[in-house]
Amino acid sequence: MSNVHKDLMTAAAGNAGGATYVEDLFETRLYVGTLNTYPNNIVNGFDFDDKGGLVWIKNRDQGDSHYWYDTNRGDHQRLNSDSTSAETDETAQVGLAFNSDGFSVGDIHQTNAGSENFVAWCWLKQEKFFDIVTYSGNATNGRAINHNLGSTPGMIIVKSKTSSTHWAVYHRSLGEGHYTLLNTNDAKSVYDSNNTNSRYWNNTAPTSTQFTVSNDGWVNGSGQDYVAYIFAHDEEEFGENSDEAIIN
C-alpha cells in the first residue's frame, strides 16, 4: 500500500493519530556499499532517533557475519548473531549510526564494502510489536526484567554484551521450560527436567510487563551486561481500524 493511499484512508477514517501498518515499523532494505565514500546514508524514512530500534545487516555477496546494531546500545556498537562474541565498538570506523530518516554505515567491509550488495532488516520499537531492553546481570534465580512491549512476548532473544555467550531464545511455541540458540543449528533444548531454573527462563512464562531469567551466565551473570530483543505475537492493534495483526 502506498503512503498516499494510507494517508487518504486515514483521513477518510478521521483518525487524527494516523493508522500504523507493518511497513511503518519493519522494512527489508537492499543497498549497495560505498566503502571509499562514506558515510553511506541509507534513507528509509524510519525515525530511529525518536522511536529507537534495531538494524540487522548481512553482506549478500560474501560469507560475512550477521551484524546487529540497536539504539539501546548506541551508535557503532556491534553484535554478531552467528557468533558468541561480545560487543565490538566500531566508533573509529563509523560502524553504524542511527538517524531521523534511516541509518548510516561507514568504513566497515561487512556492512559497506564498495559495490557489494547488502540487506538490512530494520525494526522500530512500538508497543505490541517490538521492544529492546538492556540490563546488568546479578546472578539471581527468578529475576524479573521489565519491558515496554505492552503485551505478552511471543519471542525473546537475549545476548550478553560483555562476554562470549550464546544467543538465548525463548519462543511461545516451545514454552518457558525450553530454549533454543540463535547462533547454532542445535535443536530445542531443556537444561534439566529436575532443575527448576530451566537454564534461562526459570520455568516462568513472560507477561505483558516482564520476563524472567535464571542465574545462568548466558542471561543473568553477575557483572555482565545484556540486551534483550522482545517480539509480540498476533496483536490486532494495527491497520486502518486498529484490528489487524502484523506480527505472529
Side-chain angles (χ1 to χ4, degrees):
M1 180 182 293
S2 71
N3 289 332
V4 172
H5 189 198
K6 286 192 297 181
D7 289 343
L8 289 174
M9 291 177 65
T10 298
N15 183 354
T20 301
Y21 298 84
V22 65
E23 57 264 40
D24 297 318
L25 302 173
F26 173 79
E27 185 200 47
T28 301
R29 170 64 55 158
L30 304 181
Y31 68 93
V32 178
T34 62
L35 189 64
N36 294 325
T37 304
Y38 64 88
N40 184 4
N41 297 314
I42 312 302
V43 177
N44 64 1
F46 278 22
D47 190 349
F48 287 106
D49 287 345
D50 178 46
K51 294 186 70 68
L54 164 70
V55 176
W56 169 2
I57 297 178
K58 178 68 177 73
N59 186 328
R60 300 166 61 208
D61 294 332
Q62 304 291 339
D64 292 332
S65 289
H66 294 251
Y67 278 28
W68 289 44
Y69 304 86
D70 66 72
T71 52
N72 285 50
R73 292 183 296 116
D75 289 356
H76 316 306
Q77 306 303 309
R78 184 195 86 213
L79 287 168
N80 296 0
S81 61
D82 53 341
S83 166
T84 61
S85 299
E87 181 180 80
T88 299
D89 186 341
E90 295 177 340
T91 301
Q93 295 81 30
V94 194
L96 183 144
F98 292 98
N99 303 320
S100 61
D101 59 359
F103 61 93
S104 302
V105 287
D107 189 19
I108 301 290
H109 182 275
Q110 290 84 352
T111 58
N112 195 32
S115 301
E116 294 188 2
N117 294 293
F118 295 85
V119 57
W121 295 282
C122 307
W123 285 264
L124 285 180
K125 292 198 287 187
Q126 172 80 16
E127 282 193 3
K128 301 188 178 180
F129 179 69
F130 175 64
D131 191 26
I132 305 171
V133 172
T134 52
Y135 62 96
S136 296
N138 65 5
T140 299
N141 280 328
R143 179 185 179 189
I145 307 296
N146 294 330
H147 65 77
N148 297 304
L149 190 64
S151 66
T152 302
M155 183 170 71
I156 304 169
I157 303 172
V158 175
K159 176 68 177 77
S160 170
K161 303 190 301 173
T162 48
S163 66
S164 178
T165 62
H166 287 294
W167 292 65
V169 181
Y170 162 86
H171 195 274
R172 62 180 182 82
S173 64
L174 303 179
E176 60 274 10
H178 294 79
Y179 66 90
T180 188
L181 302 174
L182 185 64
N183 56 295
T184 77
N185 60 3
D186 295 347
K188 71 175 183 178
S189 302
V190 58
Y191 181 51
D192 182 342
S193 61
N194 296 315
N195 185 334
T196 57
N197 296 343
S198 292
R199 188 60 182 261
Y200 300 136
W201 318 120
N202 206 56
N203 243 358
T204 306
T207 72
S208 61
T209 59
Q210 296 179 326
F211 66 95
T212 303
V213 292
S214 70
N215 65 348
D216 190 276
W218 293 357
V219 293
N220 191 27
S222 179
Q224 295 188 40
D225 294 325
Y226 296 86
V227 59
Y229 304 101
I230 307 168
F231 301 83
H233 170 69
D234 204 26
E235 288 287 353
E236 297 179 353
E237 295 285 337
F238 303 94
E240 179 185 1
N241 298 311
S242 298
D243 60 357
E244 299 177 16
I246 62 174
I247 184 168
N248 55 26

